């Protein structure tokens, strides 16, 4: 996916490996005498708990988490919003468009008591409802794609990092291939081909199939970043003493991968996921620009922005509203991801 | 310090942004001219005065200067055999002369006269089967050599070639007496002869076309670029697109694809041999690098560098409000183009004429039109013929309001539930929006519609298949010349239906209509033919309703303040270039 | 080092081959034919077949692929009969639609894309690195916090939103900048820069965020190193310490990421070109996919891949050169 840098491997700062359990002293087991009336008892906490405490204390994280939760609630309860306003996202209020040019009548793109965010030019659909349902589409695709691509990436990265030799080499080559192939072109070419295989000429392709195809395409291209990251972590971890110790005591490969390595890399993976989701939101909107986005009449933020390009000077609200929505969403995710990273990394300097 | 400046900058930007969105949009102001208010008065003229060069002077015209044209994306084909797009045809007129041509004055008067030939064709035996053209004396190419009838014959011959076949096929099919014109002759390449069947060149200035069947509109067909002369020695085949060998007043000085094309005078062109072209500008400059919105912005602004420019692109919706103010309004050319858009109803699947009539009542044409820009893009259509076609008559069989009439739909359908219908559309944002508007209105009237998107590059191929699985699809048709003979027969003659490549998208086939088509085509008098077509237009809609006319396509284009004599051509649909000038 | 480079080059070549094969397969999986796309109105099946024969796409896929590869390295003849043409190496074919040699199409579109990316890269590196380093030096101050905030905003914006906003604000409403356009550098450098200024500003601001954060973090880490403390203790002026010592150490990872970023950007500028109306590599390739114009699709896909793969190799080599601790292998 272009214009976002490939996730750096073991060479960038800020992605320091999280110390594994075995190195931090287990404070809970220390026998500390309690002084009556003195300072509070010393309580031991796991890194996870420490991270959670740090996160809770971070006001920025709290604010961005609130925005995200609100967005998800709005997206999930879209039908409820529809019942409240009485307007469906596909209703066309063409009588409130001018005859010449089909622009919404009134101020700021037709904002009124009935249409809080105005109307679309051309088709006259309510922008608020389009945003609410579009949010739903975007969030669904982003989360699903993030989940799938992260899972694939983790599995492949762990295998590549641990296996060494030719398997590692092959996986590296495949990752290079996936990075070198232009993602948008592939999506543009491949999605219609697959759709044609599954549907006859007369069938209408349900929007859910297109959504599924988009998720699949994202997953196919984006597991590489996670895989690289995980591979780097595994490489730096596999020579540690605790892995050697496990191997010496007869642990099989599966045990080492699942019980020793995986629990120590969950932190950077979590951060990656939280930064992948906004990237997918952005990319899904970008698909509309080459005509391979979510199809009409399913509301979609990207398609709204693309259609609004020609109206930019006549009805700027039509561009701003979906654009600001995506911006705020991505900003909230980025802030939360940053705070998460800071909370999880004990060496981070604020 | 840095922060403060930044804040001021951001503040100024936001004010500018909000100010641009804060004006109130109202429903007044807009297009003054309705598409169907112009009356087309076309004629084929054999008048000596009309056919004599030089071309009549334009009031107030001045010679000199460079005239500019903004054309997004440029030309695909300038080769006469492959030229079927109106912008390409208009540009080609500057560099090539066909046997006949159109003289237009911008007020609806259109005459077909002889361009390269001394008249629009002599019907030698008065049976419309043999047509003789005499090439004018003194017509020269850009290198000074003379244009001969053999060159015209060669141009027609190479248009038969399967590799150069993107242009119109009228003359080829008429000569071969079959739509499959390659059966007998494949062009002059790979060993083929230089003369196509039915074409003879008795002497250097005479060319004769002999058809098996009568074709009384040969004068119109002779205006096509197919009859442009091309010397065999200068035939660069697939490279010809890059540099057509000029027989007109201008020749190519430079041509960079995707960038620009510059024309300069052909000093060997003699104005006394040319009744059509005034050739006032010293040169032409075609710019391909801008898109429609940038073009509109620049022409509205009318900076000195752009004042002699004209747009070959419609003003997009965003810039429309800027074109209604004084100073800009006068520089808009607007009016109907030759295109009419309909929803073709696949009559093989929807056999019940009442259902088709109900569909006509159900469609909210206003919404469908608004989805592509409202009255700036077109006007609601109720006829099959465009107002630009000679003899057009306005009628409305259904008299439904533009937003549709749901009550009438229920009345027509009664208790029968209509079958579920598939509406196909080309997958571009514009057509997707239109399909959505159509779907909503059909469903509001009680029809069950599923929409199906088709790749836009394949769209006409798909709906052109006889066995296509769709029920409704939007299609546009523009007359190839301003005579209904290029509209009704291709669209409604059922005998022309073939397995693929159809233009009769409703697959309509009725014997009485076919007989009537034959009768009208055989009428020798042009006025009688026009009246006949207009009556047939109404009859088809009234008795059979095989399509739902949606809108007449409208052009809405800007030109700069120094671009003189710019008007929409009824023949080609866009503003022409043969009689423009640069105001000094 | 040499062995490393050779090995990477060989791997790169196999990657490019794989990409060309995938593109071929994708193209032939599409049910419709480019001949039909080009045909226009009134297309008879015979014409479609004749056009397919002229384009050479009625031959078996393997043969077509072989001819293409041969053309790239040795050159080939295209067409048959009276329409035959010689295409010298490297032959990328002719556009199905306009018959223009693909190399010509690349010659006029690649400079556009390269101009956009190089100019934007200069802008985002300069803005990003200077912002990051300065805020590292003024850590904790208001400047630092505002800089972080601004770079976060930049990282969260998208080119299709921000680009449109800037277009509206700077071009359409106020007219401070001319509408984006491409003039070749050799023709008029001033106009070249002015016409691309808006895309440069947009991309520059959006991408600078990452470099600001990165360089800030790197600088902070380097500043806490012992050698910096030693240098300051020795009495070296601040400027010498920061510019000569700290900067050098902090730059390394930036080089890596910048290189990869530029490579990736060269491979994907579709959205930017579409927003600003510039006919570059991205736009041409999207149009080619829609037209089923195989020669152009192949050429643009391979070229994008070459940019990315080359950037990868160069970055790895540079990294080894700059940081002697890194061993290639």
């Amino acid at each position: 996916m272009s214009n976002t840098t490939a996730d750096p491997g073991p060479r960038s700062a800020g992605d320091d490996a999280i110390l594994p359990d075995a190195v931090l002293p287990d404070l809970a087991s220390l026998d500390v005498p309690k002084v009556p009336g003195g300072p509070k008892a010393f309580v031991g906490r796991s890194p996870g708990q420490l991270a959670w405490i740090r996160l809770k204390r971070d006001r920025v994280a709290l604010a961005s988490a609130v925005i995200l939760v609100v967005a998800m609630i709005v997206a999930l309860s879209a039908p409820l919003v529809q019942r409240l306003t009485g307007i469906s996202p596909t209703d066309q209020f063409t009588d409130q468009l001018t005859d010449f040019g089909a622009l919404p009548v009134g101020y700021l793109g037709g904002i009124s008591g009935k249409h809080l965010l105005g109307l679309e030019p051309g088709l006259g659909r309510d922008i608020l409802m389009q945003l609410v349902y579009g949010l739903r589409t975007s969030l669904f695709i982003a989360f699903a794609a993030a989940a799938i691509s992260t899972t694939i990436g983790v599995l492949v990265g762990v295998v590549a990092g641990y296996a060494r030799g030719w398997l590692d080499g092959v996986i590296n080559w495949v990752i290079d291939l996936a990075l070198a192939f232009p993602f948008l072109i592939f999506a543009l070419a491949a999605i219609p081909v697959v759709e044609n295989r599954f549907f006859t000429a007369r069938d209408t392709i349900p929007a859910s199939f297109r959504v599924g195809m988009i998720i699949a395409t994202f997953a196919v291209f984006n597991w590489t970043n996670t895989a690289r990251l995980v591979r780097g972590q595994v490489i730096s971890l596999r020579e540690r003493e605790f892995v050697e110790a496990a191997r010496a005591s007869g642990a099989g490969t599966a045990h080492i991968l699942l019980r020793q390595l995986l629990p120590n890399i969950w932190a950077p993976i979590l951060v990656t996921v939280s930064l992948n989701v906004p990237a997918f939101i952005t990319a899904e909107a970008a698909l509309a620009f080459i005509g391979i986005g979510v199809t009409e009449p399913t509301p979609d933020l990207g398609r709204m922005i693309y259609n609004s390009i020609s109206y930019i000077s006549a009805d700027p609200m039509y561009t701003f509203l979906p654009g600001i929505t995506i911006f705020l969403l991505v900003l909230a995710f980025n802030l939360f991801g940053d705070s998460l990273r800071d909370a999880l990394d004990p060496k981070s300097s604020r | 310090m840095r922060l403060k400046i930044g804040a001021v900058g951001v503040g100024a930007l936001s004010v500018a942004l909000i100010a641009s969105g804060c004006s109130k949009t109202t429903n007044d102001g807009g297009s003054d001219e309705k598409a169907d208010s112009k009356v087309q008065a076309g004629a084929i003229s054999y008048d000596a005065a009309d056919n004599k060069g030089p071309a009549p002077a334009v009031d107030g015209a001045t010679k000199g200067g460079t005239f500019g044209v903004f054309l997004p994306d440029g030309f695909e084909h300038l080769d006469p055999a492959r030229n079927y797009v109106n912008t390409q045809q208009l540009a080609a007129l500057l560099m090539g002369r066909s046997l006949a041509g159109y003289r237009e004055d911008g007020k609806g008067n259109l005459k077909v006269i002889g361009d390269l030939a001394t008249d629009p064709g002599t019907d030698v035996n008065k049976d419309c089967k043999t047509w003789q053209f005499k090439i004018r004396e003194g017509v020269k190419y850009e290198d000074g050599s003379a244009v001969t009838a053999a060159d015209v014959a060669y141009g027609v011959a190479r248009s038969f070639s399967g590799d150069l076949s993107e242009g119109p096929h009228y003359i080829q099919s008429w000569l071969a007496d079959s739509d499959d014109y390659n059966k007998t002759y494949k062009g002059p390449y790979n060993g083929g002869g230089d003369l196509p069947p039915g074409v003879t060149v008795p002497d250097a200035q005479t060319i004769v076309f002999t058809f098996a069947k009568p074709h009384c509109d040969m004068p119109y067909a002779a205006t096509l670029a197919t009859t442009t002369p091309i010397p065999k020695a200068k035939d660069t085949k697939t490279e010809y697109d890059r540099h057509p060998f000029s027989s007109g007043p201008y020749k190519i000085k430079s041509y960079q694809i995707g960038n620009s094309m510059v024309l300069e005078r052909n000093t060997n062109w003699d104005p006394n041999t040319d009744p059509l072209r005034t050739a006032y500008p010293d040169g032409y400059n075609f710019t391909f690098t801008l898109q429609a919105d940038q073009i509109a912005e620049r022409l509205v602004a009318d900076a000195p560098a752009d004042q002699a420019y004209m747009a070959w692109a419609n003003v997009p919706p965003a810039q429309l409000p800027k074109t209604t103010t004084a100073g800009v309004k006068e520089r808009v050319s607007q009016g109907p183009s030759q295109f009419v858009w309909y929803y073709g109803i696949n009559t093989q699947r929807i056999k019940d004429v009442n259902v088709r009539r109900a569909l006509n009542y159900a469609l909210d044409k206003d919404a469908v039109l608004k989805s592509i820009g409202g009255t700036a893009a077109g006007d609601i259509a109720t006829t099959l013929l465009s107002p630009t076609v000679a003899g057009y008559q306005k009628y409305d069989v259904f008299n439904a309001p533009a937003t549709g009439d749901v009550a009438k739909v229920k009345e027509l359908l009664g208790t029968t539930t209509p079958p579920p219908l598939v509406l196909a559309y080309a997958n571009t944002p514009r057509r997707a929006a239109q399909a959505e508007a159509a779907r909503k209105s059909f469903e509001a009237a009680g029809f069950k519609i599923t929409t199906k998107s088709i790749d836009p590059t394949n769209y006409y191929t798909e709906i052109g298949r006889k066995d296509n699985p769709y029920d409704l699809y939007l299609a546009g048709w523009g007359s190839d010349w301003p005579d209904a003979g290029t509209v009704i027969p291709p669209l409604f003659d059922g005998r022309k239906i073939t397995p693929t490549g159809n233009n009769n998208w409703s697959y309509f086939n009725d014997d009485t209509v076919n007989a009537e088509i034959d009768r009208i085509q055989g009428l020798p008098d042009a006025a009688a033919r026009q009246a006949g077509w207009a009556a047939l237009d109404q009859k088809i809609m009234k008795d059979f309703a095989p399509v739902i006319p949606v809108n007449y396509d409208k052009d809405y284009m800007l030109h700069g303040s120094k671009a003189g004599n710019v008007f929409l051509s009824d023949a080609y649909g866009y503003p022409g270039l043969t009689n423009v000038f640069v105001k000094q | 080092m040499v062995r490393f480079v050779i090995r990477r080059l060989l791997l790169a070549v196999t990657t490019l081959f794989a990409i060309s094969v995938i593109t071929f397969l994708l193209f032939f999986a599409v049910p419709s034919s480019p001949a039909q796309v080009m045909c226009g109105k009134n297309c008879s099946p015979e014409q479609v077949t004749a056009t397919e024969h002229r384009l050479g796409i009625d031959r078996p896929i393997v043969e077509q692929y072989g001819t293409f590869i041969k053309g790239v390295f040795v050159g080939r003849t295209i067409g048959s009969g009276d329409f035959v043409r010689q295409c010298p190496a490297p032959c990328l074919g002719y556009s199905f639609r306009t018959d223009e040699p693909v190399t010509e199409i690349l010659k006029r579109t690649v400079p556009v894309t390269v101009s956009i990316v190089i100019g934007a890269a200069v802008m985002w590196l300069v803005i990003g690195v200077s912002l990051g380093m300065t805020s590292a030096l003024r850590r904790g101050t208001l400047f630092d916090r505002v800089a972080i905030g601004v770079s976060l905003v930049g990282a969260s914006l998208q080119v299709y939103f921000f680009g449109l906003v800037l277009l509206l604000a700077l071009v359409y409403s106020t007219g401070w900048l001319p509408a984006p356009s491409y003039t070749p550098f050799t023709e008029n450098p001033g106009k070249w820069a002015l016409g691309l200024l808006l895309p440069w500003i947009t991309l520059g601001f959006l991408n600078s965020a990452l470099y600001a954060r990165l360089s800030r973090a790197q600088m902070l880490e380097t500043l806490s190193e012992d050698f910096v403390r030693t240098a300051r203790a020795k009495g070296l002026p601040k400027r010498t310490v920061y510019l000569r010592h700290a900067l050098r150490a902090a730059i390394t990872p930036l080089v890596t990421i910048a290189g990869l970023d530029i490579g990736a950007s060269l491979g994907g500028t579709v959205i930017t070109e579409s927003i600003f109306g510039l006919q570059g590599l991205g736009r041409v390739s999207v149009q080619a996919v829609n037209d089923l114009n195989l020669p152009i699709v192949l050429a643009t896909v391979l070229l994008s891949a070459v940019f990315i793969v080359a950037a990868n190799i160069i970055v790895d080599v540079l990294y080894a050169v700059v940081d002697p601790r890194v061993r290639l292998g």
Side-chain angles (χ1 to χ4, degrees), chain A residues 88-110 121-125 192 195-196 199-205 210 288 291-292 295-298 303 306-317 320, chain B residues 17-18 20-27 29-31 293 297 316-324 334 349 364 366-367 369-376 420-422 425 427 429 432-434 436-441 450-453 469-471 556:
Chain A
S88 109
T90 54
D91 282 344
Q92 295 163 12
F93 298 90
T94 49
D95 49 332
Q96 288 173 41
L97 300 176
T98 61
D99 283 331
F100 180 70
L103 293 166
V105 168
Y107 288 101
L108 290 179
L123 280 174
R125 295 184 293 204
E195 286 184 344
N196 272 320
F199 292 93
T200 69
R202 201 177 149 87
D203 293 329
T204 186
I205 299 174
R210 173 61 64 92
I292 206 66
T295 49
E296 288 270 11
T298 314
R303 200 180 55 235
Y306 181 64
N307 286 341
S308 72
I309 295 180
S310 54
Y311 289 98
I312 181 76
S313 48
D315 187 5
M317 292 303 279
F320 286 176
Chain B
L17 286 174
I18 297 176
S20 63
C22 245
S23 50
K24 185 167 180 164
T25 319
T26 50
N27 205 358
S31 173
D293 49 351
E297 291 284 342
Q319 279 79 20
L320 284 174
K322 299 188 196 176
T323 60
T324 51
Q334 54 176 310
R349 307 176 79 96
D364 182 347
D366 182 61
L369 186 58
K370 279 207 170 118
S371 68
I372 53 169
T375 53
L421 301 172
V422 174
Y425 64 93
N427 191 13
Q434 268 186 314
E436 176 59 13
R439 181 191 74 87
K440 255 332 224 194
S441 65
T450 45
T451 53
K452 173 77 185 185
S453 83
Y470 314 112
D471 304 306
Y556 192 92

Side-chain angles (χ1 to χ4, degrees), chain B residues 199-548:
Chain B
V199 174
T200 52
V201 181
D203 62 62
Q205 304 299 119
T206 315
I207 181 169
V208 181
F209 295 84
T210 312
F211 305 128
K213 298 208 179 58
H215 290 284
C216 298
D217 38 7
M218 179 57 181
Y220 282 111
T223 64
L224 293 171
T226 322
T227 60
T228 308
I230 301 178
K232 182 167 180 180
K234 298 285 182 192
D235 182 4
T236 49
K237 309 184 187 77
T238 48
E239 306 282 310
Y240 202 73
D241 273 333
R242 309 266 168 277
H243 195 123
F245 191 58
S246 172
S247 48
Y250 298 91
K251 60 181 180 185
I252 293 186
K253 184 171 170 194
S254 73
Y255 182 11
Q256 284 169 316
I257 301 192
N259 201 307
S260 66
M261 179 168 86
V262 179
L263 301 181
E264 59 182 0
R265 284 196 192 274
N266 169 13
T267 42
N268 289 303
W269 171 77
D270 181 1
N272 292 320
T273 63
D274 196 328
L276 282 181
R277 301 171 182 72
T278 45
Y280 289 121
D282 285 332
Y284 285 82
N285 201 337
F286 293 83
T287 306
F288 309 139
T289 49
L290 301 175
Q291 296 302 307
D293 49 351
Q294 296 166 304
I295 295 173
E297 291 284 342
R298 278 172 69 151
L299 287 174
V300 164
D302 201 35
D306 300 330
Q307 281 167 355
Y309 267 80
M310 168 176 99
W312 267 352
N314 283 304
V315 176
Q319 279 79 20
L320 284 174
K322 299 188 196 176
T323 60
T324 51
T325 54
V328 184
K329 212 162 37 155
E330 300 79 19
R331 297 190 280 113
V332 174
S333 311
Q334 54 176 310
S337 76
Q338 10 29 336
F339 275 80
V340 184
W341 292 89
Y342 339 80
Y343 271 102
I345 308 177
N346 192 337
T347 54
Q348 300 165 103
R349 307 176 79 96
I350 305 184
K351 301 196 177 81
D352 185 350
V353 66
N354 277 327
V355 174
R356 300 202 294 265
R357 290 198 180 110
L359 285 168
N360 265 283
Y361 279 108
L363 183 64
D364 182 347
K365 299 185 189 182
D366 182 61
V368 171
L369 186 58
K370 279 207 170 118
S371 68
I372 53 169
T375 53
D379 286 310
I380 308 278
T382 52
T383 64
L384 301 173
L385 294 175
S386 158
T388 60
V389 166
Y392 161 81
Q393 272 169 33
K394 187 176 157 106
Y395 69 85
D396 187 351
V397 161
F398 298 104
N399 273 315
T403 45
D405 191 341
V406 178
K408 226 29 177 107
V409 172
K410 303 225 187 312
E411 191 189 307
L412 273 170
L413 292 177
T415 47
T416 48
T417 43
L421 301 172
V422 174
L423 187 147
Y425 64 93
N427 191 13
T428 66
R430 249 166 98 91
R431 300 292 168 220
Q434 268 186 314
E436 176 59 13
R439 181 191 74 87
K440 255 332 224 194
S441 65
F442 283 134
E443 294 207 335
F447 289 94
K448 173 97 186 57
I449 304 275
T450 45
T451 53
K452 173 77 185 185
S453 83
I454 302 180
D455 192 28
T457 45
N458 260 348
Y459 180 69
Y460 281 102
T461 314
E462 290 301 314
I463 62 173
R465 274 188 223 285
K466 180 165 189 279
D467 58 354
N468 80 60
Y470 314 112
D471 304 306
L472 290 164
Y473 26 75
L474 186 74
W477 182 261
S479 55
D480 281 309
W481 52 74
D483 182 288
T486 56
V487 180
I488 302 209
L491 296 181
F492 298 105
D493 187 339
R495 297 161 299 180
K496 285 189 186 283
I497 297 179
T498 51
T500 59
N502 286 294
N503 294 316
N504 183 345
W505 296 302
S506 48
Y507 298 97
F508 172 71
N509 193 355
D510 178 87
D511 294 327
T512 55
V513 169
N514 296 341
E516 180 67 5
I517 289 177
D518 286 339
R519 185 191 73 84
I520 298 176
Q521 277 178 325
L523 293 174
D525 175 37
R529 286 203 299 272
Q530 285 167 10
W533 291 125
L536 185 55
D537 177 351
Q538 194 165 357
K539 177 180 150 79
I540 293 178
M541 274 311 287
K542 189 145 163 262
D543 294 341
F544 304 103
V547 298
I548 313 174

Side-chain angles (χ1 to χ4, degrees), chain C residues 239-261:
Chain C
R239 181 191 261 181
T240 321
V241 175
Y242 294 150
L243 285 180
R244 268 194 32 211
H245 299 286
L247 191 66
R248 177 111 195 275
I251 275 263
T252 324
L254 280 165
V255 162
T256 323
I257 296 175
L260 294 174
D261 221 359

